[in-house]
């Protein structure tokens, strides 16, 4: 390791740390929806990454058709997220709803089938090209952090991540809807007995998850580029996030994202081709100590 | 319900094995009557069936869904490809090394996975499977990265499709027999007991984690063997062999054919492989068709084709019994 004098200086580390935070923010955006759906519905949505990918492509198309100056990207992102919410309604209402009474392997396989179908829809609709949206104002340039340029769009991602963290925290811990969510995650039969329509709750949770997935897909378009295969790339990292943090736990997802984001950012410094492998090593280490993740609870 | 039917199968094994003998004869004469094209597909179906059987040892018998089984399949393939192309290693020893390496990695991965159940197990196997995929995909210098490895040739006497077909058939048949013996042994019964009631099994003094780890290693080794025997036939290996799309195939085959019946996944794989080759004739959109088939099976044929057939046959027999009793 020839890190030595070359990169151990504080400014490089700080820069790496900040890009790790940006990555963690994006990971949290995607993984939070996954974790929320699992926590309440007890369905692990393999297709969550596909919703994220479809959201990115839909947003791209909306942006390209509307071409509104200045705020075009934000409008497209908003609409793209809404469209994905709609897709979420369709998936929950026509597929998942009919499977809650069945075993989890069938639920898992159904969401896996959606992965395959969405992959082909994207391939058919947009082809295999790399697409990108230029960075929107006012996040076009770069900010100098200790002399190193840091894309200001990353701050937008970090801000958005923070907003979603606060929003979810408020929703789950401060509202009546949140009380119901937490109660249903704990004992859905009891909640149902209290007269709360569980199917309705499930639909809204799934829609919320899909909406966040679409939103996070939309904001990746200016982040790097969007292409076929981005779904698998992100979902695998998200699984690492929720496994480390504990599936179904919001604080766990946040912590998991921060860990994975930082491990990735610093792993890339050591050995770029093994950055992902480092993440899984950390995951294995966590699992030895806590098989259900840091904030997870043993399954019933 | 299931236990009763399994006992019934044991009792009348000899009476019912005529179809198995017929099937073996059919497989033996297949190269004489089939075109090279269909023989190739048959080879693929056989190899994938072994892959599906290895998966179903965990899923159908132990009750744990592994979504990373393709990692072992691909690993077996890569070991053979690298030994043969880089070291000109003996073909038969390469096959053994492929299975052995998959089993060894299965031991490490399994150590972490068997302590979890249900969805947690599925996610963890998926994550480890992807880890192995990423290592092979990114380690360009050693594994060839996304180019894969080409020019993996079997020895001269196995170069023809027919000769290699017999090799594949014997490897698969013997492996299937071993797996069949395993699931019907006391060890297999212990696995089934864990699936039905883990707490009670533990009270009986069975160390669940150890049993599941042994089963995991066996499954990994057979998946590795399937990959190892396939790669020299296909002459190349690529990282796509290790992806979760590939891992999904045995899951689907098991659900299609019926995970509770030993040959269920084999039937599922045969249907999938032949449908796949048929569909590729006019479209490249195979995933969407595979996805639709999965959804149809889940909604229309819960328990798989064989389970559906079994239920229908039992119903009919009972009806016949009732009719007999009345007259």
């Amino acid at each position: 390791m020839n890190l030595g004098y070359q990169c151990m200086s504080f400014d490089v580390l700080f820069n790496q740390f900040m890009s790790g935070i940006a990555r963690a923010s994006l990971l949290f955006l995607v993984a939070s929806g996954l974790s929320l759906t699992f926590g309440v519905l007890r369905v692990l949505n393999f297709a969550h990454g596909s919703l994220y990918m479809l959201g990115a492509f839909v947003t791209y198309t909306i942006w390209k058709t509307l071409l509104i100056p200045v705020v075009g990207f934000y409008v497209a992102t908003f609409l793209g997220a809404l469209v994905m919410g709609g897709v979420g309604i369709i998936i929950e209402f026509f597929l998942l709803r009919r499977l809650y009474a069945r075993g989890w392997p069938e639920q898992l396989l159904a969401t896996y089938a959606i992965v395959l179908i969405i992959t082909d829809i994207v391939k058919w609709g947009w082809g295999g090209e790399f697409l990108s949206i230029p960075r929107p104002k006012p996040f076009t340039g770069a900010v100098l952090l200790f002399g190193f340029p840091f894309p200001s769009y990353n701050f937008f991602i970090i801000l958005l991540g923070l907003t979603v963290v606060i929003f979810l925290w408020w929703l789950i811990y401060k509202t009546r809807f949140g009380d119901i969510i937490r109660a249903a995650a704990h004992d859905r039969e009891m909640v149902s007995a209290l007269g709360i329509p569980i199917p309705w709750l499930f639909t809204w949770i799934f829609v919320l998850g899909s909406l966040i997935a679409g939103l996070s897909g939309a904001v990746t378009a200016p982040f790097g580029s969007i292409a076929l295969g981005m779904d698998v790339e992100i979902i695998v990292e998200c699984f690492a996030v929720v496994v480390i943090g504990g599936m179904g736990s919001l604080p766990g997802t946040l912590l998991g994202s921060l860990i994975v984001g930082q491990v990735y950012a610093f792993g890339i410094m050591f050995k770029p081709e093994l950055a992902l492998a480092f993440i899984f090593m950390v995951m294995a280490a966590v699992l030895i100590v806590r098989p259900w993740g840091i904030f997870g609870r043993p399954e019933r | 319900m299931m236990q009763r039917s399994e006992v019934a199968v044991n009792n009348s094994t000899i009476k019912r094995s005529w179809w198995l003998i017929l099937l073996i004869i059919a497989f033996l004469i297949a190269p004489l009557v089939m075109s090279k094209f269909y023989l190739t597909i048959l080879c693929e179906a056989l190899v994938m069936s072994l892959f599906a059987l290895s998966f179903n040892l965990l899923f159908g018998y132990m009750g744990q869904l592994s979504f990373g089984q393709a990692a072992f399949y691909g690993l077996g393939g890569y070991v053979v490809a690298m030994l043969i192309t880089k070291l000109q290693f003996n073909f038969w020893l390469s096959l053994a090394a492929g299975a052995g390496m998959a089993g060894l990695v299965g031991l490490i991965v399994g150590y972490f996975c068997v302590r979890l159940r249900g969805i947690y197990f599925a996610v963890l196997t998926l994550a480890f499977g992807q880890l192995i995929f990423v290592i092979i995909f990114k380690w360009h210098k050693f594994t060839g990265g996304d180019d894969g490895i080409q020019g993996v040739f079997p020895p001269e006497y196995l170069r023809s499709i027919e000769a290699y077909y017999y090799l594949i058939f014997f490897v698969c048949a013997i492996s299937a027999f071993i797996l069949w013996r395993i699931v019907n042994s006391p060890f297999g019964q212990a696995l089934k007991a864990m699936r039905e009631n883990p707490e009670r099994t533990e009270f009986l003094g069975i160390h669940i984690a150890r049993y599941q780890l042994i089963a995991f290693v066996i499954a990994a080794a057979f998946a590795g063997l399937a990959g190892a025997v396939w790669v020299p036939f296909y002459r190349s290996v690529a990282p796509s062999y290790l992806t979760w799309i590939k891992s999904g195939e045995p899951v689907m085959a098991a659900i299609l054919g019926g995970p509770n019946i030993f040959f269920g996944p084999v039937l599922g794989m045969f249907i999938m492989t032949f449908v796949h080759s048929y569909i590729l004739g006019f479209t490249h959109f195979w995933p969407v068709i595979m996805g639709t088939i999965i959804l149809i099976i889940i909604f229309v044929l819960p328990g798989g084709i064989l389970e559906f057939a079994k239920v229908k046959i039992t119903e009919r027999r009972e009806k016949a019994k009732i009719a007999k009793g009345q007259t």
Side-chain angles (χ1 to χ4, degrees), chain B:
Chain B
M1 186 201 86
M2 208 154 49
Q3 277 154 339
R4 204 200 310 151
S5 63
E6 269 160 22
V7 172
V9 169
N10 277 347
N11 283 344
S12 53
T13 309
I14 303 152
K15 225 196 281 177
R16 287 198 196 168
S17 59
W18 58 269
W19 62 268
L20 201 62
I21 295 163
L22 269 185
L23 213 61
I24 290 172
I25 294 170
F27 274 118
L28 286 177
I29 60 168
L32 308 175
V33 291
M34 276 178 126
S35 69
K36 276 200 163 54
F37 174 72
Y38 281 106
L39 200 61
T40 313
I41 298 167
L42 190 60
C43 284
E44 188 180 353
L46 278 169
V47 169
M48 290 304 283
S49 295
L50 175 57
F51 179 34
L53 280 176
S54 80
F55 160 80
N56 205 46
L57 174 68
L58 302 179
F59 181 55
Y61 290 90
M62 199 169 86
Q64 294 266 53
L65 197 161
S66 160
F67 231 102
Q69 200 67 5
F72 303 116
Y73 175 79
L75 208 60
Y78 262 95
V79 168
V80 166
M82 285 162 79
L83 285 178
I84 289 181
T85 56
K86 294 195 177 170
L87 300 175
Q88 279 79 41
F89 210 62
N90 179 289
F91 173 74
W92 301 96
L93 288 178
S94 303
L95 290 190
M101 187 64 172
L104 195 68
V105 175
L107 184 69
I108 299 165
V109 173
Y111 172 79
F112 295 106
C113 295
V114 295
R115 298 188 294 168
L116 300 177
R117 307 246 177 290
I119 288 183
Y120 298 81
F121 180 89
V123 172
L124 202 58
T125 48
L126 171 64
F128 273 113
Q130 286 294 322
L131 168 65
I132 297 169
F133 162 72
V134 165
I135 291 175
I136 286 185
F137 186 71
K138 298 265 165 121
W139 202 353
H140 204 278
K141 264 184 240 156
F142 189 56
T143 62
D146 52 353
D147 300 332
I149 298 171
Q150 277 83 32
V152 187
F153 286 99
E156 286 294 341
Y157 54 91
L158 284 172
R159 291 269 162 100
S160 76
I161 292 180
E162 288 80 6
Y164 209 88
Y165 165 81
Y166 282 114
L167 171 74
I168 287 179
F169 175 67
F170 283 118
V171 166
C172 292
I174 292 166
S175 305
F177 178 70
I178 295 171
L179 280 167
W180 191 79
R181 287 301 297 260
I182 288 173
V183 301
N184 287 298
S185 68
F187 175 76
Q189 300 296 334
L191 290 184
K192 277 179 250 174
M194 282 174 221
R195 177 191 66 192
E196 297 303 325
N197 193 337
E199 285 88 16
R200 206 161 169 181
T201 316
E202 195 129 51
F203 288 152
L204 289 173
I206 289 171
H207 197 294
I208 291 189
R210 192 180 303 150
Y211 270 64
Q212 296 212 340
L213 183 58
I214 294 170
F216 197 90
V217 171
I218 294 172
F222 276 110
L225 181 63
V229 80
W230 173 250
V231 166
F233 178 70
Y234 203 64
R235 311 286 199 253
S236 69
V237 64
S240 67
Y241 281 35
L242 295 96
T243 56
W244 73 329
I245 297 287
K246 198 81 181 166
S247 290
E249 283 179 23
V251 187
M252 188 183 153
I255 301 244
L256 175 61
N260 294 325
I261 297 161
F262 185 78
F263 282 109
V266 176
L267 177 72
M269 248 338 164
F270 267 77
I271 294 173
M272 274 170 61
T273 313
F274 278 90
V275 168
H276 179 209
S277 64
Y278 174 70
I279 284 170
L280 275 191
F282 51 86
T283 175
H284 281 290
F285 291 104
W286 162 243
V288 72
I289 291 161
M290 184 163 146
T292 316
I293 295 174
I294 294 176
L295 290 179
I296 292 171
I297 300 161
I298 292 174
F299 285 106
V300 182
L301 286 175
I305 294 171
L306 284 184
E307 189 76 31
F308 181 76
K310 210 164 88 177
V311 169
K312 285 282 158 212
I313 290 169
T314 349
E315 261 176 24
R316 206 185 236 181
R317 272 193 196 143
E318 258 153 37
K319 261 186 203 161
K321 248 186 220 167
I322 292 164
K324 245 184 208 170
Q326 278 168 345
T327 49

